[in-house]
Amino acid sequence: ELKVEQNPLFLSMQEGKNYTIYCNYSTTSDRLYWYRQDPGKSLESLFVLLSNGAVKQEGRLMASLDTKARLSTLHITAAVHDLSATYFCAVDITEAAGNKLTFGGGTRVLVKP
Amino acid sequence: EPEVTQTPSHQVTQMGQEVILRCVPISNHLYFYWYRQILGQKVEFLVSFYNNEISEKSEIFDDQFSVERPDGSNFTLKIRSTKLEDSAMYFCASSPPADPYEQYFGPGTRLTVT
């Protein structure tokens, strides 16, 4: 059974500083997703990583994937209040049509001034 | 920009009642999904649907659940006899044929079973 673990579960950030969220998974996969969720809202896709060594960046967020280590990281540069949200990673190992995402438990991020 | 829509936004039902949650995926998408999120917990996969049939389902998706694409636009999730533990946010998602790895999530339906 695929297990996806994120740490930390909660991250209190200071504005302007850098932080990293880690996502470990238990079964070989080269499809890793990062989503953002604001309270009471839906999931917003941030990154889709489809190969070993993939790195994607959008604004202050950068995600990378190491399939050999079964590890993805989401790096936040110079945190700002707008980044306060819960961040989920998800892994897909299905071979069937479509994709079955297995989510991590989420990292709740709170950026303080 | 096209979006996945879901109705209702909030449904309250009594235990044992049947509910139907409705989704309108983005129009040219071919892959459809239902996920649920119990309050404060992680998102869990329920079922995927492609070419008018279920392609994969989780252990949660037992005989009480069913999905249907009754016409060219709607995608529904039916729970036949709701239980208290079915209370959750239910998200519909869809993927386009050109980019099947990208899932676009709807705003969700909050189901409260009393």
Side-chain angles (χ1 to χ4, degrees), chain A residues 31 33 35 37 42-43 45 48 50 88 94 96-101 103-104, chain B residues 31 33 35 37 42-43 45 48 50 55-56 91 100-103 105-107:
Chain A
R31 299 196 288 271
Y33 304 73
Y35 288 89
Q37 186 180 39
S42 187
L43 295 158
S45 177
V48 180
L50 298 177
F88 290 95
T94 188
N99 307 98
K100 168 189 171 183
L101 299 184
F103 282 81
Chain B
Y31 305 89
Y33 313 86
Y35 292 83
Q37 185 180 32
K42 65 180 179 181
V43 179
F45 170 83
S48 58
Y50 171 72
S55 49
E56 193 151 357
F91 293 106
Y101 298 115
E102 185 71 79
Q103 293 192 23
F105 282 78

Side-chain angles (χ1 to χ4, degrees), chain A residues 4-6 9 21-23 32-39 41-47 72 74 85-91 101-109, chain B residues 36-38 40-44 91 105:
Chain A
V4 182
E5 293 184 353
Q6 288 180 238
L9 299 181
I21 300 171
Y22 299 89
C23 175
L32 193 291
Y33 304 73
W34 284 97
Y35 288 89
R36 168 183 171 143
Q37 186 180 39
D38 291 295
K41 302 292 185 181
S42 187
L43 295 158
E44 175 191 354
S45 177
L46 296 174
F47 301 108
S72 179
L74 180 66
T86 299
Y87 293 84
F88 290 95
C89 65
V91 177
L101 299 184
T102 300
F103 282 81
T107 297
R108 186 166 162 238
V109 167
Chain B
R36 78 171 187 191
Q37 185 180 32
I38 295 171
Q41 298 187 23
K42 65 180 179 181
V43 179
E44 299 173 292
F91 293 106
F105 282 78

